[in-house]
Amino acid sequence: MAPDKLVYMANQIATFFKSKPHAEGVAGVAGHINDFWEPRMRKQLFGLIADQYDGIDPLVLEAAPSIRKVKETA
């Protein structure tokens, strides 16, 4: 998926959860991504975060530690 599209989607989730109390918003972003994003999308998001890709919402960055990591296969 194009990086801009993935970041756009993650930021849309963050925008929705910004109306919640902060801790609930962070948990909501992580929960939504865990529940609805396939492993390839999560892996790509972690790569973009590691590369400090521009434009990722701070709420997404804060939720990242609670997002399930993708197991590497041999």
Side-chain angles (χ1 to χ4, degrees):
M1 178 177 294
D4 287 342
K5 174 70 174 173
L6 193 80
V7 169
Y8 176 78
M9 291 170 56
N11 288 349
Q12 280 186 307
I13 297 164
T15 298
F16 174 81
F17 282 104
K18 283 182 183 180
S19 64
K20 307 284 185 189
H22 186 76
E24 187 179 335
V26 172
V29 170
H32 183 90
I33 291 173
N34 283 331
D35 290 345
F36 298 105
W37 283 28
E38 64 178 39
R40 288 180 296 176
M41 293 170 70
R42 294 194 321 268
K43 183 176 181 179
Q44 186 178 2
L45 177 62
F46 286 124
L48 294 172
I49 291 170
D51 292 343
Q52 298 180 349
Y53 192 84
D54 192 38
I56 301 173
D57 191 285
L59 200 57
V60 175
L61 297 174
E62 214 174 322
S66 298
I67 297 171
R68 273 193 316 272
K69 306 297 184 263
V70 178
K71 294 180 183 177
E72 296 294 324
T73 56

